[in-house]
Amino acid sequence: MEELLDPGLGQVRVFLAHDDNKPRKLKYNLGRSRLLTFGGPYSNHIRAVAEAGRRHGIETIGVIRGEEHRPLNPALAHAAACGMTLAYLDRASYRLKHTDEVQARLRERWGDDVVILPEGGSNAAAVRGCAELPGEIAGDYDVICCPVGTGGTLAGISAGLPEGKRAIGFAVLKGAGFLAGEVARLQREAYGRTWPNWEINLDYHFGGYAKSTPTLERFITKYRVERIYVAKMLYGIFDLARQGAFEPGTRVVAVVTGQPSTPVEACGAPTGFDSGEPRCRR
C-alpha cells in the first residue's frame, strides 16, 4: 500500500490499496463449462470474464446492452479476441435481464447448462472472493473504503473484516438507495447472515454513473485517478475528512479497484456455497 499524503486530509491517514475486484468476483464462479454474463459496450466485467474464459478454457458469452455496432470498439474487440461470443439485447429487454422470462429466452438460445452471472459479477460466489481482500491488507487500519456499483465488493469486504473494523462504500450511481438492500441480500445468500460493520454513502455520485462535474474533473486531474469509480470514492473520503467525519488519527484504506491486467485464478472445485466456506479443493 502507498500512503496518500495531502494537507487536505488533516490528521486522517489514507492508504491506497490497488486491487482488481473482477478476478476476486470470478474466482469462485469458474470451474463451469459455459458462462454467460451481461455488460455495457465498455464493460470491464465483460473483459474480465472473456480473459478468464481464454485462460481456463471456458466458453463465454457476453450479452451486451444495446445494438451491435461495427467495427467493434476496443473493449468488445478484445473480448471477442479472447474467444467470447457476443450477443446483444435491446435496452428495454436489457433492463429486464434479471427476470425469469428473459433468462428463459437466453437459456433456450444458449442451452440449459449455461451458468448466468449477473451484470458486474455480484453473486454469492463473488462475495466470498471479495471477502478475502481484508486478510491480504498489510498493516493496521480502521476503515476500508471502496466504490460501489452493484454491491458485491462491499458485501465481501464487510464479511471479511476483522472485529472492530468497518467498511464504507461510495455509490457511483444516482438514486442508489436500493444498494443497501442488495449488499444485505448478497451477504445472506453467501453466508446466511449479514454484518453491521458497513454503510453506503450516497452523496458523491456527481450526477450518476459515468457522470461528472467541473469539481470532480479538477480532482481527477490533480490526483490522476480513474474517473468512474475511484475518483468519486476518493473525493468522498477527502470531503468527509474535511467535515471531521473521521476521528483524528483514523487510518483509512481506499481500495483502488479495476486493474484489468490481473489474471483470474480459478477455484477448480469450489466447496458448496451453502457451507459459508470460501475455500477451494485443489
Side-chain angles (χ1 to χ4, degrees), residues 56-101:
H56 299 289
I58 299 169
E59 180 183 356
T60 58
I61 301 137
V63 178
I64 310 303
R65 182 185 68 247
E67 305 299 324
E68 180 180 13
H69 294 283
R70 293 283 180 170
L72 296 174
N73 68 41
L76 294 184
H78 178 76
C82 288
M84 174 175 274
T85 300
L86 300 178
Y88 297 83
L89 273 181
D90 63 85
R91 292 176 180 273
S93 298
Y94 193 87
R95 285 194 291 270
L96 301 174
K97 61 188 177 298
H98 61 285
T99 63
D100 291 342
E101 179 183 356

Side-chain angles (χ1 to χ4, degrees), residues 6 9 22 29-31 41 75 117-118 144 159 168 186 190 214 235 239 247 255 274 277:
D6 192 289
L9 292 170
K22 298 303 183 185
N29 274 302
L30 301 181
L117 300 183
I144 295 184
I168 303 174
L186 287 165
Y235 187 96
D239 198 45
E247 292 290 332
V255 179
D274 57 353
E277 294 295 328

Side-chain angles (χ1 to χ4, degrees), residues 26-273:
L26 290 174
K27 180 177 179 180
Y28 296 106
N29 274 302
L30 301 181
R32 325 297 178 93
S33 59
R34 308 175 76 209
L35 293 177
L36 179 151
T37 194
F38 308 90
Y42 294 91
S43 168
N44 284 334
H45 172 65
I46 289 290
R47 177 190 179 107
V49 171
E51 290 178 348
R54 177 178 64 180
R55 183 177 175 88
H56 299 289
I58 299 169
E59 180 183 356
T60 58
I61 301 137
V63 178
I64 310 303
R65 182 185 68 247
E67 305 299 324
E68 180 180 13
H69 294 283
R70 293 283 180 170
L72 296 174
N73 68 41
L76 294 184
H78 178 76
C82 288
M84 174 175 274
T85 300
L86 300 178
Y88 297 83
L89 273 181
D90 63 85
R91 292 176 180 273
S93 298
Y94 193 87
R95 285 194 291 270
L96 301 174
K97 61 188 177 298
H98 61 285
T99 63
D100 291 342
E101 179 183 356
V102 171
Q103 296 206 359
R105 284 175 16 214
L106 292 171
R107 292 187 186 281
E108 182 178 352
R109 179 176 179 183
W110 300 108
D112 289 336
D113 62 330
V114 72
V115 175
I116 298 179
L117 300 183
E119 183 177 34
S122 290
N123 60 9
V127 171
R128 290 198 171 86
C130 292
E132 296 174 354
L133 190 158
E136 297 174 13
I137 294 177
D140 197 11
Y141 61 89
D142 302 295
V143 182
I144 295 184
C145 296
C146 69
V148 179
T150 55
T153 300
L154 177 60
I157 288 174
S158 160
L161 281 178
E163 191 70 26
K165 314 299 184 184
R166 62 190 177 101
I168 303 174
F170 291 83
V172 302
L173 311 172
K174 185 178 181 179
F178 69 93
L179 282 172
E182 281 296 290
V183 171
R185 177 186 66 81
L186 287 165
Q187 289 188 335
R188 284 193 296 269
E189 289 184 1
Y191 296 103
R193 56 162 293 190
T194 61
W195 279 259
N197 58 5
W198 60 272
E199 62 183 275
I200 298 180
N201 189 296
L202 306 177
D203 296 334
Y204 300 100
H205 56 75
F206 290 89
Y209 184 78
K211 298 292 181 64
S212 187
T213 67
T215 298
L216 185 63
E217 289 301 314
R218 288 191 293 271
F219 185 86
I220 291 168
T221 299
K222 180 177 179 179
Y223 293 100
R224 299 180 182 180
V225 290
E226 186 273 331
R227 65 189 317 107
I228 295 177
Y229 292 93
V230 178
K232 296 180 179 183
M233 170 193 65
L234 282 179
Y235 187 96
I237 293 171
F238 269 76
D239 198 45
L240 291 177
R242 284 193 292 266
Q243 295 177 33
F246 299 112
E247 292 290 332
T250 298
R251 292 156 296 186
V252 177
V253 172
V255 179
V256 179
T257 56
Q259 311 300 308
S261 61
T262 306
V264 177
E265 295 299 333
C267 175
T271 59
F273 290 130

